[in-house]
Amino acid sequence: MTSKAPADRDSAATPAALLRASPLPPLEARVLLTHVLGWRQTQLITRADEALDSASVQCYLALQARRVAGEPVAQLVGIREFFGLELEVTPHVLIPRPETELLVETALIAMENLARPRVLDLGTGTGAIAVAIASMRPDAQVSALDRSAEALAVAARNAARLLDRKRPGGAVTFAQSDWYDSLDASLRFDVIVSNPPYIASGDPHLSQGDLRYEPRGALTDEADGLGAIRAIVAGAPRRLAANGVLWMEHGYDQAEAVRALLVAQGFTQVQSERDLAGIERISGGRLAD
Ligand code: GLN
């Protein structure tokens, strides 16, 4: 038997109808609609033919129009999942990308045999890397820096919401700093990680897709794309403890250049790791004493 909608139901205003009529990729439409309704994804199926109130419908259509015009889904819903964590996202921070999970995994392996590892995340943005490491290693002492006060506020909220208040490593500490500039000179770290701005200033990707809506300072060094990486590599020896490691994310074609910078700075065991797309996406090395 086919189900029949009651006469008072506006068939254009059911989840099924909204999704069918949406110009967006289905996954994006579902993310926006569940956000508006406060539903789980499965409820879009179990309640697919339910009439929605017009306020919800208007709200969804407004978000859909903004997405069609180009705004990133993560900014429209204010959240992006990273390493199993629901991170708050605003227009002041880079949207966490799945490939950056490789940086977290690699950093975690590097600190496997260390108790209470001291970790520094440079240019933390949402706090994605720092918070993911802190959540996986409750004993790690994690510091995170960013030059943007707005980003630090987002990162601090993410840490406060997602981390155990009583974690043995203590709260993640956040400070405003242009790379290492404001860091106490006496501090040493076992692991330094960063996903710095690495897109060259003239790269056409900066004026395409989500990147148009993300903070430019989180994407490009306004130079050849290696400026931030040079600064991070150059400053690392003074900040790393004996046998400390540095790992950075970089562009798809920068691995060789980044490895050369690490070698020139005296790093050993210099290597790159490939992301799920097979691209050398992160490079790092160890600073022997
Ligand atoms: N991964 C981003 C992109 O290429 C760039 C992020 C960055 O510069 N750190 O879209």
Side-chain angles (χ1 to χ4, degrees):
M1 201 179 95
T2 54
S3 64
K4 196 162 168 290
D8 61 343
R9 191 185 276 188
D10 176 358
S11 65
T14 66
L18 287 174
L19 294 176
R20 210 163 35 237
S22 178
L24 297 176
L27 177 64
E28 293 189 2
R30 289 199 297 268
V31 169
L32 294 182
L33 190 52
T34 51
H35 171 71
V36 167
L37 298 173
W39 291 7
R40 293 184 302 277
Q41 288 282 335
T42 50
Q43 291 176 290
L44 290 181
I45 298 163
T46 58
R47 302 172 68 175
D49 298 316
E50 211 168 283
L52 301 173
D53 62 87
S54 66
S56 296
V57 174
Q58 291 316 310
C59 185
Y60 169 75
L61 292 174
L63 286 183
Q64 176 174 276
R66 287 169 66 186
R67 178 57 190 148
V68 168
E71 281 184 65
V73 172
Q75 288 181 5
L76 291 172
V77 302
I79 280 177
R80 173 54 47 95
E81 198 243 272
F82 177 83
F83 220 85
L85 303 163
E86 302 249 295
L87 292 164
E88 174 189 340
V89 169
T90 75
H92 294 296
V93 293
L94 185 84
I95 300 166
R97 307 286 203 276
E99 55 267 29
T100 305
E101 294 182 355
L102 176 64
L103 189 62
V104 173
E105 286 162 6
T106 305
L108 288 170
I109 291 169
M111 62 186 86
E112 241 166 22
N113 298 320
L114 292 174
R116 294 181 71 83
R118 297 159 292 179
V119 183
L120 176 64
D121 176 20
L122 295 167
T124 196
T126 53
I129 298 166
V131 173
I133 290 173
S135 77
M136 294 299 287
R137 279 296 300 264
D139 63 330
Q141 305 171 62
V142 183
S143 304
L145 308 178
D146 206 290
R147 71 177 171 198
S148 156
E150 291 97 340
L152 287 168
V154 174
R157 282 198 295 274
N158 278 324
R161 203 180 68 259
L162 295 166
L163 294 174
D164 180 358
R165 218 178 282 256
K166 298 195 184 101
R167 61 185 297 283
V172 174
T173 60
F174 294 98
Q176 193 166 8
S177 182
D178 195 2
W179 305 127
Y180 305 94
D181 287 359
S182 310
L183 203 57
D184 187 313
S186 67
L187 294 175
R188 293 292 176 274
F189 299 91
D190 301 300
V191 178
I192 298 178
V193 282
S194 183
N195 175 17
Y198 54 69
I199 302 176
S201 59
D203 191 317
H205 290 102
L206 289 169
S207 48
Q208 294 169 13
D210 285 4
L211 275 61
R212 292 170 294 168
Y213 293 86
E214 294 178 274
R216 200 175 154 91
L219 296 167
T220 177
D221 59 352
E222 301 296 353
D224 66 350
L226 288 168
I229 290 172
R230 280 188 204 97
I232 291 167
V233 171
R238 287 194 304 279
R239 311 296 181 173
L240 282 172
N243 271 316
V245 300
L246 166 64
W247 277 96
M248 294 159 294
E249 182 174 321
H250 50 68
Y252 71 97
D253 58 354
Q254 293 172 329
E256 201 179 322
V258 176
R259 286 196 301 268
L261 289 170
L262 287 163
V263 169
Q265 196 59 239
F267 280 84
T268 59
Q269 298 174 31
V270 171
Q271 52 189 313
S272 303
E273 298 286 349
R274 293 178 192 275
D275 63 17
L276 291 173
I279 294 165
E280 288 186 320
R281 177 57 68 184
I282 65 171
S283 294
R286 185 176 296 278
L287 204 69
D289 33 337

